[in-house]
């Protein structure tokens, strides 16, 4: 006999389904900086590391994630202005899941993409062991 599905499980499923649909939509219509970053890291172009874009993790969607090294790269545009508390809570959740998070502003990435990619590559190569 199967157990009863709890309300919490149903809510998680509902959130997960909504996140998957939203992530799919975001992959289809990326903002310009995400498009540029993706062109530079897709197909293992950055040091042989595989990235996924708009990847659902719990109740959140990460811009880019390297699952192998548990590294998330967030490109923050104007949407993130005034959302510091939300981003901190989000980062805390992701850290609790074992991920490291790098946040780069769109302006920084647009102004110096080469240095931004060096920062990401350095983070990939200096992964910290899981506890």
């Amino acid at each position: 006999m199967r157990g009863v599905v709890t309300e919490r499980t149903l809510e998680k499923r509902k959130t997960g389904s909504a996140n998957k649909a939203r992530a799919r939509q975001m992959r289809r219509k990326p903002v310009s900086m995400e498009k540029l970053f993706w062109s530079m890291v897709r197909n293992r172009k950055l040091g042989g590391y595989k990235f996924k874009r708009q990847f659902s993790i719990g109740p959140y969607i990460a811009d880019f994630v390297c699952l192998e090294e548990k590294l998330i790269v967030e490109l923050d545009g104007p949407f993130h202005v005034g959302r510091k508390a939300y981003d901190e809570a989000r980062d805390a959740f992701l850290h609790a899941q074992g991920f490291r998070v790098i946040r780069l502003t769109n302006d920084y990435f647009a102004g110096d993409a080469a240095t931004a990619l060096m920062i990401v590559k350095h983070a990939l190569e200096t992964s910290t062991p899981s506890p």
Side-chain angles (χ1 to χ4, degrees):
M1 182 173 167
R2 291 183 176 233
V4 176
V5 178
T6 65
E7 227 174 282
R8 183 177 175 174
T9 300
L10 289 173
E11 186 60 34
K12 284 172 103 176
R13 287 179 185 172
K14 184 178 174 184
T15 300
S17 178
N19 271 358
K20 285 180 184 178
R22 176 76 177 126
R24 191 175 303 117
Q25 178 186 21
M26 292 168 73
R27 282 191 298 271
R28 287 184 184 140
K29 295 183 180 182
V31 296
S32 61
M33 286 302 110
E34 288 177 354
K35 212 177 203 178
L36 179 61
F37 184 84
W38 182 240
S39 74
M40 296 175 165
V41 301
R42 69 181 298 189
N43 296 328
R44 300 181 185 267
K45 288 181 187 173
L46 186 64
Y49 293 97
K50 181 173 180 60
F51 278 87
K52 293 179 180 268
R53 62 188 173 126
Q54 305 305 336
F55 188 78
S56 184
I57 301 171
Y60 301 105
I61 299 172
D63 287 345
F64 302 93
V65 63
C66 174
L67 293 173
E68 175 186 352
E69 295 300 327
K70 297 202 78 157
L71 180 72
I72 294 171
V73 179
E74 290 292 319
L75 294 180
D76 292 344
F79 178 74
H80 290 269
V81 173
R83 295 177 50 112
K84 185 176 180 181
Y86 173 83
D87 285 342
E88 286 174 352
R90 183 179 186 279
D91 289 355
F93 174 85
L94 295 169
H95 286 291
Q97 304 306 305
F99 289 93
R100 295 173 295 142
V101 180
I102 294 177
R103 290 189 169 276
L104 302 169
T105 64
N106 284 351
D107 290 340
Y108 180 78
F109 184 71
D112 195 355
T115 300
L117 289 173
M118 284 177 32
I119 290 168
V120 173
K121 188 173 181 199
H122 177 74
L124 289 163
E125 293 170 344
T126 58
S127 65
T128 55
S130 298

